[in-house]
Amino acid sequence: DSILGVHTNEVGGEVRMRNQFLKEMDGLQDKGKNYHLYVVAATNKPWDLDWAFIRRFQKRVMVPLPDYATRLQMFEINCAQLDLTQDVDFHSLTQITEGYSGSDIKDICQVVRQEVIRELFESGAADDTTKKPRSLNMGDFKRAVSNRKPSVSKEMMKEYDKWFDQFKA
């Protein structure tokens, strides 16, 4: 049994769901019980939230794009199980992915892996159980990065910063 049992499965139910959610949050204070409740919500468009929704959250936290050290760690984690050649340089990859999100970095690593698997299938060697995909090299990663722009633009970051400055708690 959940305290905030808010859900909808009907078209146009988004407004009803939002209203029900706000009603449930307000109702928690009226029940006379001492609930220890944390509501965590996330959005990539905070400016689309109305004031009634925003004011119910005491804390608003903006998670910035990953810095150099975080991007480096993301490459290390996402490539830990991959077969890499000696020329793969995570520091170089980290430098050229300034402004990329964690999701972007994960996708780059997945694209590189999928490309070598695709090569194996296209060569016809996939049926041979002794064959395995070739090792990933730095060129593979550079190609993947060059084919993918960051998912968060500088203009979007300005909007996030503006919103956060207006509503931070």
Side-chain angles (χ1 to χ4, degrees):
D1 209 354
S2 68
I3 294 172
L4 294 174
V6 179
H7 59 279
T8 184
N9 59 4
E10 55 190 72
V11 176
E14 218 172 279
V15 171
R16 282 187 285 279
M17 182 178 75
R18 181 187 58 87
N19 290 341
Q20 180 66 26
F21 179 76
L22 297 175
K23 182 179 163 190
E24 294 281 343
M25 282 187 74
D26 289 342
L28 287 175
Q29 296 171 354
D30 299 335
K31 295 192 190 256
K33 295 182 181 177
N34 190 12
Y35 287 114
H36 295 286
L37 175 71
Y38 288 93
V39 176
V40 178
T43 180
N44 59 353
K45 293 183 178 181
W47 43 83
D48 286 346
L49 300 174
D50 67 349
W51 178 245
F53 196 81
I54 293 169
R55 72 179 174 83
R56 285 172 172 80
F57 289 90
Q58 295 173 337
K59 248 336 186 190
R60 281 149 317 261
V61 178
M62 185 174 93
V63 178
L65 290 173
D67 62 7
Y68 182 93
T70 306
R71 289 192 317 279
L72 178 63
Q73 191 174 29
M74 288 176 174
F75 274 112
E76 290 169 347
I77 290 168
N78 284 293
C79 293
Q81 303 298 317
L82 302 179
D83 183 21
L84 307 174
T85 60
Q86 292 290 325
D87 73 330
V88 175
D89 180 2
F90 291 141
H91 289 282
S92 292
L93 291 171
T94 301
Q95 288 174 344
I96 65 173
T97 54
E98 174 74 33
Y100 284 67
S101 70
S103 180
D104 294 336
I105 291 170
K106 181 180 178 184
D107 289 348
I108 287 167
C109 296
Q110 287 178 340
V111 162
V112 170
R113 183 175 187 200
Q114 291 168 350
E115 282 296 313
V116 297
I117 292 171
R118 182 185 53 77
E119 285 175 11
L120 184 70
F121 276 89
E122 286 179 354
S123 72
D127 293 335
D128 184 348
T129 57
T130 62
K131 301 281 185 181
K132 60 181 197 173
R134 67 172 173 78
S135 300
L136 306 171
N137 61 51
M138 190 64 173
D140 297 322
F141 283 95
K142 284 184 176 180
R143 194 169 30 263
V145 170
S146 71
N147 289 331
R148 181 185 182 102
K149 293 183 175 168
S151 60
V152 181
S153 69
K154 290 179 182 176
E155 292 76 28
M156 286 174 69
M157 284 307 300
K158 287 178 188 173
E159 289 297 317
Y160 289 122
D161 291 337
K162 179 178 156 185
W163 189 91
F164 184 71
D165 286 342
Q166 183 180 359
F167 291 105
K168 62 184 166 189

